[in-house]
Amino acid sequence: MDEHGVLQLKWTPNTIIQTSDAEAAMQMVNEMCGNTVRPLLVDMATTTSVSRGARAVFAQTCQASRIALLGASPVDKVIVNFVLAMNNSTRPKRFFTSRMEAMEWLKAPSPPEVNASPMIDGTKEFPDEIATGTFGCAGAP
């Protein structure tokens, strides 16, 4: 947790996030937050993939008030979009390629929570290939 109360999670390079990894990350977030919801920055710029089980874990509600997912490439955005497409949480989520922009968004006053679909870049829309699951990853669940 930084001096602004933002939790920061950084995955190691070339990580394939498995169910146990996701469970450990969620447990740590919940433990660090206690009864207080806090913003969360997830740096996944070098993450390779996210397993089906991990996606199910990330779909659960945790003590993060809003989540900024930080990536570095279009591949990262595809991974994030796929994860968020499966996520029914009403907590705001956005993908960023700039750490500074992500931190500004996380530290901004939170609007009232609404019952909405997961958001990418502030929209409720997913690219057609994400919405239909036709983005062509061989062997993807």
Side-chain angles (χ1 to χ4, degrees):
M1 187 175 332
D2 71 11
E3 67 275 7
H4 302 288
V6 176
L7 293 174
Q8 296 187 30
L9 168 64
K10 182 173 183 172
W11 294 101
T12 55
N14 302 312
T15 297
I16 298 172
I17 303 172
Q18 301 292 343
T19 304
S20 59
D21 303 318
E23 289 170 342
M26 292 281 280
Q27 181 179 351
M28 183 62 70
V29 166
N30 289 334
E31 286 176 8
M32 292 192 76
C33 288
N35 292 327
T36 304
V37 293
R38 298 186 184 279
L40 172 64
L41 174 70
V42 180
D43 185 339
M44 54 186 302
T46 59
T47 300
T48 302
S49 67
V50 181
S51 75
R52 176 182 287 171
R55 290 192 304 266
V57 171
F58 290 142
Q60 299 170 14
T61 300
C62 68
Q63 287 299 93
S65 57
R66 54 176 43 190
I67 302 170
L69 298 151
L70 183 62
S73 72
V75 172
D76 294 335
K77 189 165 185 172
V78 169
I79 291 171
V80 169
N81 284 340
F82 190 70
V83 170
L84 293 181
M86 307 305 222
N87 192 317
N88 293 321
S89 171
T90 59
R91 305 286 170 112
K93 292 162 222 64
R94 284 187 64 190
F95 176 81
F96 296 88
T97 56
S98 163
R99 177 178 289 277
M100 184 175 18
E101 289 177 13
M103 290 301 289
E104 287 173 8
W105 180 75
L106 287 170
K107 293 186 289 184
S110 296
E113 237 178 72
V114 294
N115 189 10
S117 300
M119 293 196 221
I120 291 102
D121 292 337
T123 69
K124 293 183 186 178
E125 298 178 15
F126 296 98
D128 290 339
E129 63 272 12
I130 300 300
T132 62
T134 59
F135 53 90
C137 291

